[in-house]
C-alpha cells in the first residue's frame, strides 16, 4: 500500500498508475467510526466518475477506469484506476456559501456569498487539520502561474458543478479539490471529486440563510452520535458502534445523493467472473 487516509487507501499499480480505493468506512468528529456503511465506497467512486465525466470539457482528470474484476471482489466497484500525477500540495476549496468557517461581520452560517471564492488550505497529515492559506502563501508554495491556474480552474469547476447540482434541487455550498501535474506539465483534476465527503450539499428547498444547514449525509450520523448515543465527544473515548437503523439511514442518504445528482440508481456491484471450466459444448 502507498498510503491511506481515514476512509481511503492508495495502492501502486505500475510506474504510471495507482489504484484509489474508497472504503465503506465513515468518519465523524475526527474519528473513524467502528461501523461501516455498506455501499458507501461504491457510491463515492461512482459519483466521482460521474462528475469527472460531467466536467471533462472544463478540466482533464486522472480517471482511467473503475476497476472491475480481476481486481479482488472486495474492492470491485469502489476502486479507481488513475494516472499517477505529481500532486500539488494545496487543497483547493471553492465556496459559494458560508459553512463551517469563521464568519465575518454582517454574515452568518448558511448565507450565500456575493460570488464564489477560492479558500485554499494546507494538506494536513492524518489527525491534523488543514490550515487556511492566503493566496500569497499559495504563490510562495507553488509559484504565481500555478497558483493563478489553481484558483481559476477551482472556481470554474465549482461554477459548473453548482449549476448542475442546482438543476437537481441541490445547493453545492463548497467543495475541496486536489490537482496534480501530468507528464506533459498540464494541470489535471485528481482524487475523489464532488462527493458528500469532499463537498457540502444542501437541499435547496430546505435552505434558510442565516443558520446552520443540514448537510446531506453525515448530519444524520452526527446527530445520532451527539444527541442519542450517549457518547461524549470531548471525552477522548472512541465513538460507539452505530445501530442498524442509523447504518440504514446513513446508507440511504448516500444513495439518495447519488440518485438525485445522476438521475440513476447505483449500479449493482460487479460480479466476479466464474472461471470454473464449463462442461464441453456439443
Ligand atoms: C492522492 C490520498 C488515498 C491517502 C496521493 N493520481 C494521483 N497521482 C499521485 N498521487 C495521488 C493521486 Cl490521486 C495521491 N492522494 C491522496 C488518497 C489515501 C491519500 F486514497 N495521495
Amino acid at each position: 500500500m502507498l498510503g491511506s487516509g481515514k476512509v481511503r487507501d492508495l495502492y501502486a499499480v505500475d510506474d504510471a498508475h495507482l489504484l484509489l480505493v474508497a472504503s465503506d468506512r465513515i468518519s465523524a468528529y475526527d474519528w473513524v467510526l467502528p461501523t461501516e456503511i455498506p455501499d458507501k465506497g461504491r457510491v463515492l467512486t461512482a459519483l466521482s466518475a460521474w462528475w469527472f465525466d460531467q466536467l471533462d470539457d472544463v478540466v482533464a482528470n486522472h480517471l482511467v477506469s473503475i476497476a472491475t474484476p480481476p481486481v479482488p471482489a472486495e474492492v470491485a466497484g469502489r476502486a479507481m484506476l488513475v494516472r499517477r500525477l505529481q500532486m500539488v500540495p494545496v487543497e483547493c476549496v471553492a465556496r459559494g456559501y458560508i459553512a463551517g468557517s469563521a464568519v465575518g461581520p454582517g454574515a452568518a452560517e448558511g448565507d450565500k456569498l456575493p460570488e464564489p471564492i477560492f479558500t485554499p488550505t494546507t494538506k494536513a497529515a492524518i489527525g491534523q487539520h488543514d490550515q487556511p492559506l492566503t493566496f500569497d502563501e499559495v504563490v510562495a508554495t507553488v509559484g504565481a502561474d500555478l497558483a493563478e491556474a489553481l484558483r481559476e480552474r477551482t472556481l470554474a469547476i465549482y461554477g459548473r458543478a453548482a449549476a448542475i447540482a442546482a438543476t437537481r434541487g441541490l445547493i453545492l455550498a463548497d467543495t475541496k479539490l486536489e490537482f496534480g501535474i501530468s507528464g506533459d506539465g498540464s494541470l489535471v483534476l485528481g482524487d475523489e471529486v464532488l462527493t458528500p465527503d469532499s463537498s457540502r450539499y444542501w437541499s435547496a428547498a430546505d435552505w434558510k440563510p442565516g443558520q446552520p444547514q443540514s448537510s446531506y449525509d453525515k448530519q444524520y450520523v452526527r446527530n445520532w452520535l451527539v444527541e442519542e448515543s450517549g457518547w461524549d465527544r470531548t471525552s477522548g473515548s472512541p465513538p460507539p458502534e452505530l445501530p442498524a437503523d442509523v447504518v440504514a439511514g446513513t446508507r440511504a442518504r448516500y444513495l439518495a445523493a447519488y440518485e438525485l445528482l445522476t438521475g440513476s440508481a447505483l449500479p449493482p456491484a460487479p460480479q466476479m467472473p466464474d472461471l470454473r471450466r464449463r462442461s464441453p459444448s456439443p
Side-chain angles (χ1 to χ4, degrees):
M1 193 160 37
L2 254 189
S4 63
K6 282 207 284 265
V7 301
R8 299 173 310 145
D9 303 300
L10 194 61
Y11 300 85
V13 173
D14 59 34
D15 283 358
H17 300 93
L18 301 174
L19 199 66
L20 204 132
V21 179
S23 72
D24 288 342
R25 299 191 293 274
I26 184 168
S27 65
Y29 300 116
D30 292 334
W31 290 90
V32 176
L33 305 188
T35 316
E36 296 195 332
I37 306 301
D39 299 322
K40 174 174 180 276
R42 288 199 303 121
V43 169
L44 298 201
T45 298
L47 191 56
S48 288
W50 183 83
W51 275 117
F52 282 135
D53 186 49
Q54 297 295 305
L55 296 166
D56 73 357
D57 59 337
V58 179
V59 65
N61 66 70
H62 69 161
L63 180 63
V64 175
S65 60
I66 306 270
T68 54
V71 294
E74 309 88 85
V75 306
R78 55 187 182 85
M80 289 195 289
L81 181 67
V82 301
R83 287 191 278 157
R84 207 189 266 254
L85 306 170
Q86 191 77 47
M87 297 307 286
V88 176
V90 173
E91 302 273 10
C92 292
V93 180
R95 56 183 79 246
Y97 292 76
I98 297 175
S101 49
V103 175
E109 184 85 17
D111 284 1
K112 186 174 190 184
L113 294 164
E115 61 190 71
I117 54 172
F118 179 57
T119 59
T121 70
T122 59
K123 224 179 258 199
I126 294 189
Q128 310 293 300
H129 284 125
D130 295 347
Q131 299 299 323
L133 288 172
T134 64
F135 189 72
D136 286 347
E137 288 170 328
V138 179
V139 170
T141 307
V142 300
D145 290 358
L146 182 51
E148 299 278 3
L150 292 172
R151 178 171 61 188
E152 190 273 331
R153 285 296 82 191
T154 297
L155 291 173
I157 291 163
Y158 174 81
R160 170 67 72 86
I164 292 172
T167 69
R168 312 317 208 249
L170 293 172
I171 290 172
L172 177 63
D174 57 37
T175 192
K176 179 163 80 176
L177 304 171
E178 288 197 38
F179 293 90
I181 309 291
S182 67
D184 68 2
S186 60
L187 194 57
V188 176
L189 184 58
D191 219 276
E192 278 187 3
V193 285
L194 293 153
T195 68
D197 283 9
S198 67
S199 311
R200 286 190 180 88
Y201 290 101
W202 299 336
S203 162
D206 298 342
W207 176 61
K208 291 181 200 69
Q211 60 187 64
Q213 313 291 308
S214 233
S215 85
Y216 213 80
D217 49 309
K218 278 190 194 174
Q219 202 59 48
Y220 177 76
V221 105
R222 290 194 194 111
N223 289 353
W224 180 81
L225 282 169
V226 166
E227 293 163 16
E228 315 223 21
S229 74
W231 177 59
D232 174 5
R233 72 183 171 105
T234 67
S235 68
S237 55
E241 292 276 0
L242 305 178
D245 62 318
V246 174
V247 172
T250 305
R251 175 175 179 274
R253 281 164 172 78
Y254 276 98
L255 286 168
Y258 178 89
E259 288 173 8
L260 272 175
L261 283 164
T262 69
S264 305
L266 182 70
Q271 298 302 305
M272 288 295 272
D274 186 346
L275 300 176
R276 285 171 301 179
R277 205 174 287 285
R278 307 258 157 240
S279 348
S281 311

